[in-house]
């Protein structure tokens, strides 16, 4: 089975440029066209959050028609820039959710169990899993102990050394581990949020963070480095799943010779550049 990951789309209403520099709508169009040209075609495109920039219905009105152009089936979890209620309405008929409140999904496909977790906290940049979400996850894992399982979520559970993003990670990752540690069928986690391709381990499990197909969080590992982004070669992440393994691949959309940036996310008054 082949899965393509899209993450951190940050589509704005009327296709407005983000941060006065990034045409996120055109970047999405390029990514969709790239995925549609892949051979073989992915079985699924899984989107790991921040589909909109503010989570408004107007943003999803711009986004959904572009995602409908994908040939592959779609699964979605929200990020901190999304609004789960607006997302649920916008994706009705395009992507389904398996919890009445949170935008979780559970999908059996080609002998694999794909699980999506809604880690968003409305109005907050960090991630957290509610008790109801942890109970739902436990029930799903108990129901399919025989199937290798891959978990998709927006916020990564571990720190990566980019301080201004690490404070926005999944804050209660330890309670997630208290559920996952009892289920050896979990083969790894796939996250977004960091706008970079990052491979890590968390309690011995592999974690793949998807790259950006629009703008990247600047790689600056200095403590207290400023919050900034760079325009790097756009890419998506592909996963080849077999019963006994998961292989991640990076697929570049457009080749670029040089990185452009960094540019600040916030102005001199600490206000987000819109």
């Amino acid at each position: 089975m082949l899965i393509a990951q899209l993450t951190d789309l940050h589509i704005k209403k009327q296709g407005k440029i983000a941060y006065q520099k990034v045409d996120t709508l055109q970047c999405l169009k390029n990514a969709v066209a790239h995925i549609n040209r892949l051979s073989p075609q992915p079985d699924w495109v899984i989107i790991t959050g921040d589909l909109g920039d503010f989570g408004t219905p107007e943003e999803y009105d711009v986004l959904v028609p572009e995602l409908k152009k994908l040939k592959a089936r779609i699964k979605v979890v929200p990020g901190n820039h999304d609004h789960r209620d607006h997302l649920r309405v916008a994706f009705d008929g395009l992507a389904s959710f398996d919890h009445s409140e949170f935008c979780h999904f559970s999908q059996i496909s080609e002998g694999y169990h794909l699980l999506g977790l809604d880690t968003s906290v409305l109005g907050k940049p960090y991630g957290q899993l509610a008790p109801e979400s942890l109970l739902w996850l436990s029930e799903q894992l108990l129901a399919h102990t025989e199937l290798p399982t891959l978990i998709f979520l927006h916020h990564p559970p571990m720190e990566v050394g980019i301080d201004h993003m690490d404070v926005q990670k999944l804050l209660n990752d330890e309670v997630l581990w208290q559920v996952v540690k009892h289920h050896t069928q979990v083969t790894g986690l796939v996250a977004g949020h960091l706008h970079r391709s990052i491979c890590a381990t968390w309690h011995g499990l592999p974690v793949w963070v998807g790259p950006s197909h629009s703008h990247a969080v600047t790689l600056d590992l200095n403590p207290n480095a400023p919050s900034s982004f760079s325009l790097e070669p756009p890419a998506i992440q592909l996963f080849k799943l077999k019963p006994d393994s998961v292989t991640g691949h990076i697929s570049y959309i457009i080749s670029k010779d040089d990185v452009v940036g960094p540019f600040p996310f916030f102005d001199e008054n600490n206000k987000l550049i819109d």
Side-chain angles (χ1 to χ4, degrees):
M1 180 167 55
L2 187 65
I3 295 174
Q5 180 194 12
L6 285 175
T7 192
D8 299 281
L9 286 59
H10 289 273
I11 299 301
K12 302 176 77 68
K13 65 180 182 180
Q14 299 175 340
K16 181 182 174 182
I17 301 295
Y19 312 114
Q20 301 176 7
K21 292 186 181 296
V22 188
D23 189 343
T24 56
L25 179 57
Q26 185 59 54
C27 289
L28 174 60
K29 291 179 178 180
N30 293 344
V32 168
H34 179 75
I35 292 171
N36 282 342
R37 288 194 299 268
L38 291 174
S39 180
Q41 270 289 290
D43 298 277
W44 294 95
V45 174
I46 298 183
I47 308 174
T48 52
D50 284 0
L51 292 88
D53 204 34
F54 292 96
T56 65
E58 292 82 6
E59 291 175 348
Y60 298 134
D61 286 345
V62 175
L63 166 69
V64 168
E66 299 304 322
L67 294 181
K68 284 183 175 179
K69 297 175 183 177
L70 285 164
K71 299 176 183 178
R73 297 168 291 176
I74 298 173
K75 286 292 181 183
V76 175
V77 292
N80 52 289
H81 282 259
D82 292 307
H83 188 294
R84 65 172 63 95
D85 295 336
H86 297 160
L87 184 72
R88 189 184 291 272
V89 171
F91 278 80
D92 184 37
L94 182 59
S96 60
F97 302 103
D98 298 304
H99 192 277
S100 60
E101 179 181 357
F102 296 95
C103 292
H104 306 319
F105 69 78
S106 177
Q107 179 68 49
I108 307 298
S109 185
E110 301 293 329
Y112 239 90
H113 191 191
L114 309 176
L115 278 174
L117 293 178
D118 178 352
T119 58
S120 64
V121 181
L122 294 181
K124 302 296 183 181
Y126 57 79
Q128 210 156 25
L129 284 165
E132 304 96 308
S133 297
L134 293 164
L135 177 60
W136 179 87
L137 173 63
S138 180
E139 292 171 345
Q140 293 298 318
L141 291 171
L142 284 168
H144 303 287
T145 57
E146 78 286 1
L147 295 177
T149 301
L150 198 58
I151 297 175
F152 295 81
L153 69 174
H154 181 67
H155 295 87
M158 71 292 165
E159 295 182 353
V160 299
I162 303 175
D163 286 0
H164 68 94
M165 297 303 293
D166 283 342
V167 297
Q168 304 177 32
K169 63 183 277 292
L170 180 68
L171 295 187
N172 62 344
D173 63 289
E174 280 305 313
V175 296
L176 173 61
W177 174 243
Q178 293 306 309
V179 174
V180 170
K181 71 178 183 179
H182 300 292
H183 298 279
T184 56
Q185 77 266 29
V186 176
T187 58
L189 298 88
V190 180
H193 191 52
L194 300 180
H195 288 245
R196 302 201 63 81
S197 176
I198 296 175
C199 295
T201 57
W202 174 73
H203 293 287
L205 282 174
V207 182
W208 296 272
V209 180
S212 171
H213 61 269
S214 57
H215 55 291
V217 167
T218 303
L219 180 58
D220 191 338
L221 301 178
N222 288 305
N224 303 313
S227 175
S228 65
F229 66 96
S230 301
L231 303 180
E232 301 183 7
I236 62 168
Q237 192 158 221
L238 298 171
F239 294 95
K240 182 70 174 179
L241 275 61
K242 296 182 178 180
D244 59 348
S245 66
V246 181
T247 304
H249 302 268
I250 301 298
S251 180
Y252 288 97
I253 299 169
I254 302 172
S255 297
K256 296 170 76 173
D257 294 329
D258 299 306
V259 172
V260 181
F263 304 104
F265 280 111
F266 300 90
D267 64 18
E268 62 274 9
N269 298 315
N270 205 32
K271 182 180 178 182
L272 185 69
I273 298 172
D274 190 5

